[in-house]
Amino acid sequence: MGAVIVAGTDTGIGKTVFSAGLTRALGASYWKPVQAGLEEGTDSETVARLSGRPVLAEGYRLRLPASPHLAAEREGVEIDPARLALPQVAGPLVVEGAGGLMVPLTRRLLYLQVIAGWGAPVVLCCRTALGTINHALLSLVALRAAGCRVAGVAFIGEEAEDSRRVICEIGAVRDLGRLPVLETVTAEALEAAFAGIEVDAIREVL
């Protein structure tokens, strides 16, 4: 089995919790290539706690919670795409991006370009709040223009049935289900909530 990329339409939409659920459901390993912001804990630590699965070391760990290009510059680092090649692991690999697709890793390199270079299927995570239709459709256009394979869209938040239908119909993309807001984020609560996600559909593209 190969890798699947978890991308998002924006930052702070629940992509890490979704990645943890997917990592657990697939029996996968997890990798966060670039982590920006260390003070409040890392996404890798969250996924390790919630999934109980192997977590690989980040390619870059940057202290400042900001766009990776800026966080790297503040530390005198330039992110080298050669260090972001997909690692080889036994079994499936869940790879979580940073923020939205067009986040710059350097002043010349967007995260989308790296994702396209990986050639792995992408699950696009969308929040269900106001504005999601625009953000989701723009992200789908960007992914396809870059030559990425889109496995489907996963929604995160309260139910928004019409928005989900519009995004999937206009975007010609598969609805992979919805992860609700969890009152308490525990491994057990996440596993139960992940019953609403079509994991088998994601497994099929690996």
Side-chain angles (χ1 to χ4, degrees), residues 16-191:
T16 297
V17 173
F18 180 89
S19 295
L22 184 59
T23 299
R24 183 184 180 108
L26 291 175
S29 300
Y30 167 88
W31 186 45
K32 175 86 172 186
V34 180
Q35 171 70 50
L38 303 178
E39 290 186 1
E40 297 182 1
T42 67
D43 294 339
S44 294
E45 291 166 348
T46 298
V47 172
R49 174 174 59 83
L50 293 175
S51 72
R53 297 294 305 166
V55 171
L56 283 63
E58 300 93 337
Y60 291 90
R61 288 171 59 92
L62 307 168
R63 289 188 294 272
L64 184 68
S67 174
H69 82 284
L70 181 59
E73 287 177 357
R74 292 289 176 86
E75 296 186 30
V77 173
E78 180 163 346
I79 293 174
D80 180 1
R83 285 181 56 182
L84 302 181
L86 289 179
Q88 298 298 311
V89 299
L93 176 67
V94 172
V95 181
E96 183 188 352
L101 294 166
M102 305 299 280
V103 166
L105 295 174
T106 73
R107 294 188 181 271
R108 299 176 302 280
L109 180 68
L110 299 175
Y111 222 127
L112 177 60
Q113 294 170 277
V114 175
I115 292 172
W118 286 332
V122 177
V123 172
L124 180 65
C125 289
C126 306
R127 60 193 178 97
T128 58
L130 185 65
T132 192
I133 294 174
N134 179 63
H135 292 161
L137 293 178
L138 284 172
S139 296
L140 289 169
V141 168
L143 283 167
R144 287 168 174 153
C148 298
R149 292 184 290 150
V150 182
V153 174
F155 296 89
I156 302 173
E158 302 298 332
E159 182 60 276
E161 184 178 347
D162 186 71
S163 293
R164 289 174 63 176
R165 185 168 59 251
V166 167
I167 288 167
C168 294
E169 288 178 355
I170 296 177
V173 67
R174 183 166 187 166
D175 185 337
L176 295 171
R178 178 180 66 90
L179 182 64
V181 176
L182 302 178
E183 291 186 10
T184 304
V185 184
T186 64
E188 294 73 21
L190 179 57
E191 183 176 22

